[in-house]
């Protein structure tokens, strides 16, 4: 379908859709489109095409896609001002951090800043600190990318390096998220760059959220902080960061709010992207270091036969697998096996350790991160099975070699790479 739009107007397109500029002049988030360039808008995303010279677009709309024409430019004037301010910073690389609630326009603002910087031939990197709605790396990871060409969607960037946190919100892993962002920031700052744009997640309300952001800012030490003001929700955070160089910018009026479900399905596009061309890899446990819950768990069982038998008799059964650590004992039992709760309590008393019971099969679907022996992030995977008999771990992943460390996430995916809602997972499954 061809659509003509007059200059001075904006064509808003809700994905899934694709838009090709056939003639005229238009820009998306600060980037002037090339003639015949095709822009893909993902499901759950909206893109504003601001028309500078009467334009004709070829538009293909997918299911539930939508199209709307509005007057003027939907990019707030404060964004242009914000860019001009950024471009005056002389100390390089200059680091700009973006704060805002969910759906306030953080990603779009980052995209806009990146494009404007590229217009001025600056060397730019983006550090993506949003775990739940990650643009750059896989979901549940922090990641960065160097940006050498204009972009309409940060999702199309290839991550240069990533840090797996394993959850969709930093509220569940504050220290890890800060550690990861600091690590990646230091790595980026070593490169030859003029500007680094740091995006953050939308967790901004409440004391914990404010503390997290303040701690993050203290670690990252941005040259400038942009607060995207949408409503009063950001006020306490803005007050808390007043002592830092802060600039308030507006949230676009035409922004599209997403439901929780939409956010999840956008995230699932991320799993699909980073699990494309996956195969099931069977890796001997003895080759791997398995890291779960900050603990490095030995993949070999160092329990002596006698000690093993002692614990079996306390439990009143022989489990499939068992590991004894300093403060706990992990026990894996068959799916339909039963273990007497009294025996577990008795065992805990005798050993003075917590006994963590896991059922075989509970591991299925857990999101994993795979690293090489130098702790370089290789990619993500989904745990298919731990075969305790053969002592192999079966992982669905596109990573085909070099896996040496496996880090367990808390998110679980089903066969179709959809997130499984499982509130009990943290309690019920601790991998061995
Ligand atoms: N100026 C604008 N006009 C229309 N839609 C916009 C504009 N800015 C952002 N959007 C859309 O609104 C949605 C939310 O913006 P996004 O940048 O993803 O927010 P956040 O990263 O804060 O969650 C996205 O689909 C985005 O493309
Ligand atoms: Mg975003």
């Amino acid at each position: 379908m061809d659509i003509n739009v007059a200059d001075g107007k904006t064509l808003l397109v809700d994905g899934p859709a694709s838009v090709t500029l056939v003639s005229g002049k238009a820009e998306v988030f600060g980037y002037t489109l090339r003639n015949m360039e095709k822009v893909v808008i993902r499901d759950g995303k909206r893109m504003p095409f601001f028309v500078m010279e009467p334009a004709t677009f070829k538009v293909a709309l997918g299911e539930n896609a939508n199209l709307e024409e509005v007057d003027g430019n939907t990019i707030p004037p404060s964004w242009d001002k914000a860019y001009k301010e950024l471009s005056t910073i002389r100390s390089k690389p200059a680091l700009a951090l973006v704060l805002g609630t969910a759906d306030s326009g953080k990603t779009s603002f980052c995209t806009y800043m990146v494009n404007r910087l590229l217009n001025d031939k600056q060397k730019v990197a983006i550090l993506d600190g949003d775990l739940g709605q990650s643009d750059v790396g896989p979901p549940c990871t922090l990641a960065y990318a160097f940006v050498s060409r204009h972009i309409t969607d940060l999702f199309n960037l290839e991550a240069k390096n990533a840090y797996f946190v394993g959850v969709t919100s930093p509220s569940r892993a504050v220290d890890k998220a800060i550690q990861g962002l600091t690590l990646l920031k230091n790595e980026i700052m070593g490169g030859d760059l003029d500007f680094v744009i740091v995006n953050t997640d939308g967790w901004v309300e409440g004391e914990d959220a404010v503390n997290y952001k303040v701690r993050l800012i203290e670690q990252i030490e941005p040259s400038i902080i942009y607060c995207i003001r949408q409503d009063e929700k950001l006020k306490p955070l803005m007050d808390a960061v007043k002592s830092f160089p802060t600039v308030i910018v507006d949230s676009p009026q035409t922004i599209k709010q997403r439901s929780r479900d939409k956010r999840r399905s956008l995230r699932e596009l991320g799993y699909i992207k980073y699990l494309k061309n996956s195969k099931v890899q069977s890796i001997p446990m003895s080759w791997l270091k398995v890291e779960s819950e900050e603990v490095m768990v030995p993949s070999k069982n160092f329990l002596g036969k006698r000690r093993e038998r002692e614990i079996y008799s306390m439990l009143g059964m022989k489990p499939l697998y068992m590991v004894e650590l300093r403060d706990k004992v992990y026990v894996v039992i068959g799916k339909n096996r039963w273990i007497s709760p009294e025996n577990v309590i008795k065992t805990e008393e005798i050993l003075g350790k917590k006994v963590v019971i896991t059922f075989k099969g509970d591991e299925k679907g857990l999101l994993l991160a795979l690293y090489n022996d130098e702790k370089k992030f290789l990619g993500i995977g989904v745990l298919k099975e731990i075969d305790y008999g053969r002592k192999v771990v079966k992982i669905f992943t596109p990573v085909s070699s070099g896996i040496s460390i496996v880090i367990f996430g808390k998110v679980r995916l089903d066969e179709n790479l959809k997130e499984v809602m499982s509130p009990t997972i943290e309690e019920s499954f601790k991998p061995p």
Side-chain angles (χ1 to χ4, degrees):
M1 149 173 74
D2 279 1
I3 292 182
N4 298 312
V5 184
D7 50 339
K9 291 192 172 240
T10 298
L11 181 69
L12 296 176
V13 185
D14 294 348
S18 74
V19 174
T20 309
L21 176 69
V22 180
S23 68
K25 195 172 170 192
E27 66 174 24
V28 177
F29 298 132
Y31 164 49
T32 306
L33 296 173
R34 276 176 288 123
N35 206 249
M36 291 316 284
E37 178 167 359
K38 183 172 169 179
V39 177
V40 174
I41 303 120
R42 288 180 288 146
D43 188 10
K45 287 272 177 186
R46 166 178 290 177
M47 238 177 245
F49 296 80
F50 176 62
V51 174
M52 296 176 296
E53 282 168 22
T56 302
F57 298 97
K58 192 176 273 311
V59 179
L61 298 177
E63 204 180 330
N64 298 321
N66 204 8
L67 202 87
E68 195 187 329
E69 219 180 282
V70 296
D71 287 332
N73 193 345
T74 62
I75 302 291
S78 55
W79 287 24
D80 176 55
K81 240 178 90 195
Y83 173 67
K84 289 186 175 130
E85 209 156 332
L86 181 69
S87 60
T88 61
I89 299 179
R90 290 282 158 256
S91 64
K92 301 289 166 67
L95 206 124
L97 183 120
V98 180
L99 296 175
T101 54
D103 295 339
S104 59
K106 296 182 300 300
T107 294
S108 307
F109 182 77
C110 293
T111 313
Y112 176 83
M113 287 306 221
V114 164
N115 283 330
R116 292 291 303 264
L117 286 165
L118 290 175
N119 290 344
D120 285 343
K121 308 268 179 299
Q122 301 294 317
K123 291 196 249 351
V124 193
I126 174 117
L127 172 55
D128 187 357
D130 192 349
L131 293 171
Q133 291 294 300
S134 34
D135 295 303
V136 180
C140 307
T141 67
L142 309 161
Y144 73 86
F146 297 123
V147 197
S148 50
R149 277 188 295 160
H150 292 89
I151 35 163
T152 53
D153 187 346
L154 297 176
F155 188 71
N156 298 333
L157 292 171
E158 207 45 59
K160 181 93 182 133
N161 197 7
Y163 181 97
F164 184 70
V165 180
V167 290
T168 56
S169 167
S171 58
R172 300 171 66 196
V174 166
D175 292 335
K176 220 170 172 176
I178 289 176
Q179 189 189 336
L181 277 167
T182 310
L183 216 114
L184 294 178
K185 180 230 161 179
N186 292 340
E187 197 174 300
I188 295 182
M189 294 307 260
D192 172 29
L193 283 168
D194 300 313
F195 290 89
V196 180
I197 312 291
V198 187
N199 199 4
T200 59
D201 58 87
W203 185 48
V204 292
E205 276 180 281
E207 204 183 313
D208 291 348
V210 170
N211 288 342
Y212 165 62
K213 293 292 177 335
V214 171
R215 265 182 69 192
L216 180 63
I217 287 163
E218 283 166 356
Q219 281 294 319
I220 299 276
E221 297 180 303
S223 327
I224 190 162
I225 299 172
Y226 291 105
C227 298
I228 305 184
R229 185 174 46 193
Q230 193 172 38
D231 46 35
E232 289 312 298
K233 285 184 191 149
L234 205 62
K235 179 96 179 22
L237 177 56
M238 277 165 31
D239 288 342
V241 300
K242 260 210 296 271
S243 59
F244 301 92
T246 309
V247 174
I248 297 168
V249 296
D250 297 311
S251 174
Q253 303 264 310
T254 45
I255 215 145
K256 187 158 185 216
Q257 299 286 325
R258 283 166 293 218
S259 64
R260 241 184 126 84
D261 281 353
K262 264 281 177 280
R263 273 206 278 274
R264 191 176 54 235
S265 62
L266 272 168
R267 197 154 58 233
E268 285 161 357
L269 288 178
Y271 299 124
I272 291 169
K273 175 180 170 186
Y274 284 93
L275 289 166
K276 207 170 44 200
N277 303 323
S278 284
K279 288 195 182 72
V280 177
Q281 310 279 354
S282 291
I283 306 165
M285 277 162 110
S286 59
W287 292 10
L288 294 176
K289 263 193 210 138
V290 177
E291 194 175 307
S292 82
E293 285 294 18
E294 270 77 73
V295 209
M296 287 295 269
V297 184
S299 46
K300 277 203 205 77
N301 199 346
F302 295 110
L303 279 181
K305 284 276 169 258
R306 235 185 87 190
R307 179 69 169 169
E308 235 174 30
R309 274 198 301 274
E310 267 170 34
I311 302 178
Y312 293 169
S313 77
M314 290 176 212
L315 292 171
M317 61 113 54
K318 183 173 184 297
L320 267 179
Y321 189 74
M322 186 170 77
V323 180
E324 185 177 16
L325 300 178
R326 216 174 304 125
D327 57 339
K328 47 187 125 167
V329 178
Y330 288 112
V331 176
V332 184
I333 66 176
K335 206 156 193 65
N336 300 313
R337 295 286 307 273
W338 183 79
I339 188 160
S340 141
E342 288 103 77
N343 285 358
V344 173
I345 294 168
K346 207 176 68 197
T347 310
E348 286 186 335
E349 277 167 11
I350 301 172
L351 297 176
K353 296 178 184 193
K354 184 129 189 59
V355 174
V356 183
I357 311 284
T358 306
F359 290 91
K360 168 88 184 89
D362 274 2
E363 74 278 17
K364 192 168 190 281
L366 278 182
L367 184 68
L368 308 170
L370 312 168
Y371 288 76
N372 71 9
D373 51 5
E374 286 160 357
K375 271 221 122 180
K376 167 109 183 82
F377 179 84
L378 301 174
I380 55 168
V382 179
L383 185 57
K384 285 285 151 190
E385 190 195 349
I386 300 179
D387 185 334
Y388 295 97
R390 293 214 199 86
K391 303 242 184 307
V392 295
V393 186
K394 294 183 184 162
I395 301 171
F396 181 72
T397 178
V399 180
S400 54
S401 65
I403 302 171
S404 132
I405 302 169
V406 178
I407 300 183
F408 284 68
K410 285 179 180 155
V411 169
R412 193 193 292 268
L413 302 182
D414 70 13
E415 301 285 332
N416 301 314
L417 307 182
K418 301 259 182 249
E419 281 182 11
V420 181
M421 300 294 139
S422 165
T424 56
I425 178 165
E426 267 166 290
E427 287 73 45
S428 72
F429 184 75
K430 296 279 190 332

PDB file of all heavy atoms in Angstrom, residues 117 194 208 259 320 352 364-365 368 373 410:
ATOM      1  N   LEU A 117      24.562  11.818  17.008  1.00  0.00           N
ATOM      2  CA  LEU A 117      26.024  11.779  17.160  1.00  0.00           C
ATOM      3  C   LEU A 117      26.684  11.283  15.870  1.00  0.00           C
ATOM      4  O   LEU A 117      27.703  11.817  15.430  1.00  0.00           O
ATOM      5  CB  LEU A 117      26.418  10.875  18.337  1.00  0.00           C
ATOM      6  CG  LEU A 117      26.159  11.471  19.730  1.00  0.00           C
ATOM      7  CD1 LEU A 117      26.232  10.400  20.812  1.00  0.00           C
ATOM      8  CD2 LEU A 117      27.159  12.591  20.033  1.00  0.00           C
ATOM      9  N   ASP A 194      34.044   8.547  21.344  1.00  0.00           N
ATOM     10  CA  ASP A 194      33.724   9.920  21.743  1.00  0.00           C
ATOM     11  C   ASP A 194      32.578   9.943  22.762  1.00  0.00           C
ATOM     12  O   ASP A 194      32.595  10.710  23.704  1.00  0.00           O
ATOM     13  CB  ASP A 194      33.328  10.742  20.512  1.00  0.00           C
ATOM     14  CG  ASP A 194      34.460  10.801  19.490  1.00  0.00           C
ATOM     15  OD1 ASP A 194      35.600  11.069  19.903  1.00  0.00           O
ATOM     16  OD2 ASP A 194      34.204  10.545  18.297  1.00  0.00           O
ATOM     17  N   ASP A 208      14.070   1.091  47.035  1.00  0.00           N
ATOM     18  CA  ASP A 208      15.070   0.158  46.513  1.00  0.00           C
ATOM     19  C   ASP A 208      15.507   0.551  45.101  1.00  0.00           C
ATOM     20  O   ASP A 208      16.690   0.486  44.760  1.00  0.00           O
ATOM     21  CB  ASP A 208      14.509  -1.276  46.477  1.00  0.00           C
ATOM     22  CG  ASP A 208      14.312  -1.832  47.881  1.00  0.00           C
ATOM     23  OD1 ASP A 208      14.816  -1.208  48.835  1.00  0.00           O
ATOM     24  OD2 ASP A 208      13.639  -2.867  48.011  1.00  0.00           O
ATOM     25  N   SER A 259       1.564  -3.365  27.297  1.00  0.00           N
ATOM     26  CA  SER A 259       1.096  -4.184  28.418  1.00  0.00           C
ATOM     27  C   SER A 259       2.252  -5.086  28.847  1.00  0.00           C
ATOM     28  O   SER A 259       3.244  -5.234  28.140  1.00  0.00           O
ATOM     29  CB  SER A 259      -0.076  -5.042  27.962  1.00  0.00           C
ATOM     30  OG  SER A 259       0.372  -5.933  26.976  1.00  0.00           O
ATOM     31  N   LEU A 320      19.242 -39.740  43.068  1.00  0.00           N
ATOM     32  CA  LEU A 320      19.911 -39.847  41.775  1.00  0.00           C
ATOM     33  C   LEU A 320      21.289 -39.216  41.824  1.00  0.00           C
ATOM     34  O   LEU A 320      22.219 -39.659  41.168  1.00  0.00           O
ATOM     35  CB  LEU A 320      19.103 -39.045  40.736  1.00  0.00           C
ATOM     36  CG  LEU A 320      18.059 -39.734  39.920  1.00  0.00           C
ATOM     37  CD1 LEU A 320      17.402 -38.727  39.007  1.00  0.00           C
ATOM     38  CD2 LEU A 320      18.674 -40.863  39.108  1.00  0.00           C
ATOM     39  N   GLY A 352      23.791 -30.354  60.316  1.00  0.00           N
ATOM     40  CA  GLY A 352      23.883 -28.917  60.560  1.00  0.00           C
ATOM     41  C   GLY A 352      23.946 -28.139  59.255  1.00  0.00           C
ATOM     42  O   GLY A 352      24.581 -27.105  59.151  1.00  0.00           O
ATOM     43  N   LYS A 364      14.670 -28.499  33.554  1.00  0.00           N
ATOM     44  CA  LYS A 364      14.319 -28.301  32.149  1.00  0.00           C
ATOM     45  C   LYS A 364      13.838 -26.871  31.856  1.00  0.00           C
ATOM     46  O   LYS A 364      12.972 -26.359  32.544  1.00  0.00           O
ATOM     47  CB  LYS A 364      13.221 -29.288  31.765  1.00  0.00           C
ATOM     48  CG  LYS A 364      12.966 -29.395  30.292  1.00  0.00           C
ATOM     49  CD  LYS A 364      12.074 -30.598  30.007  1.00  0.00           C
ATOM     50  CE  LYS A 364      11.987 -30.881  28.542  1.00  0.00           C
ATOM     51  NZ  LYS A 364      11.146 -30.108  27.753  1.00  0.00           N
ATOM     52  N   GLY A 365      14.422 -26.273  30.850  1.00  0.00           N
ATOM     53  CA  GLY A 365      13.955 -24.970  30.387  1.00  0.00           C
ATOM     54  C   GLY A 365      14.657 -23.779  31.000  1.00  0.00           C
ATOM     55  O   GLY A 365      14.393 -22.647  30.601  1.00  0.00           O
ATOM     56  N   LEU A 368      20.286 -20.188  30.421  1.00  0.00           N
ATOM     57  CA  LEU A 368      21.685 -20.278  30.839  1.00  0.00           C
ATOM     58  C   LEU A 368      22.531 -19.285  30.070  1.00  0.00           C
ATOM     59  O   LEU A 368      22.184 -18.897  28.965  1.00  0.00           O
ATOM     60  CB  LEU A 368      22.249 -21.668  30.511  1.00  0.00           C
ATOM     61  CG  LEU A 368      21.502 -22.898  30.971  1.00  0.00           C
ATOM     62  CD1 LEU A 368      22.130 -24.120  30.317  1.00  0.00           C
ATOM     63  CD2 LEU A 368      21.558 -22.993  32.477  1.00  0.00           C
ATOM     64  N   ASP A 373      36.692 -20.293  28.879  1.00  0.00           N
ATOM     65  CA  ASP A 373      37.519 -20.409  30.082  1.00  0.00           C
ATOM     66  C   ASP A 373      38.152 -19.076  30.494  1.00  0.00           C
ATOM     67  O   ASP A 373      38.705 -18.958  31.578  1.00  0.00           O
ATOM     68  CB  ASP A 373      38.579 -21.513  29.937  1.00  0.00           C
ATOM     69  CG  ASP A 373      39.373 -21.367  28.665  1.00  0.00           C
ATOM     70  OD1 ASP A 373      39.155 -20.365  27.952  1.00  0.00           O
ATOM     71  OD2 ASP A 373      40.199 -22.245  28.375  1.00  0.00           O
ATOM     72  N   LYS A 410      17.320 -17.445  36.237  1.00  0.00           N
ATOM     73  CA  LYS A 410      16.119 -17.822  36.982  1.00  0.00           C
ATOM     74  C   LYS A 410      14.895 -17.876  36.085  1.00  0.00           C
ATOM     75  O   LYS A 410      13.811 -18.228  36.520  1.00  0.00           O
ATOM     76  CB  LYS A 410      15.899 -16.825  38.121  1.00  0.00           C
ATOM     77  CG  LYS A 410      16.891 -17.067  39.242  1.00  0.00           C
ATOM     78  CD  LYS A 410      16.724 -16.101  40.361  1.00  0.00           C
ATOM     79  CE  LYS A 410      17.751 -16.392  41.443  1.00  0.00           C
ATOM     80  NZ  LYS A 410      18.034 -15.206  42.240  1.00  0.00           N
TER      81      LYS A 410
END
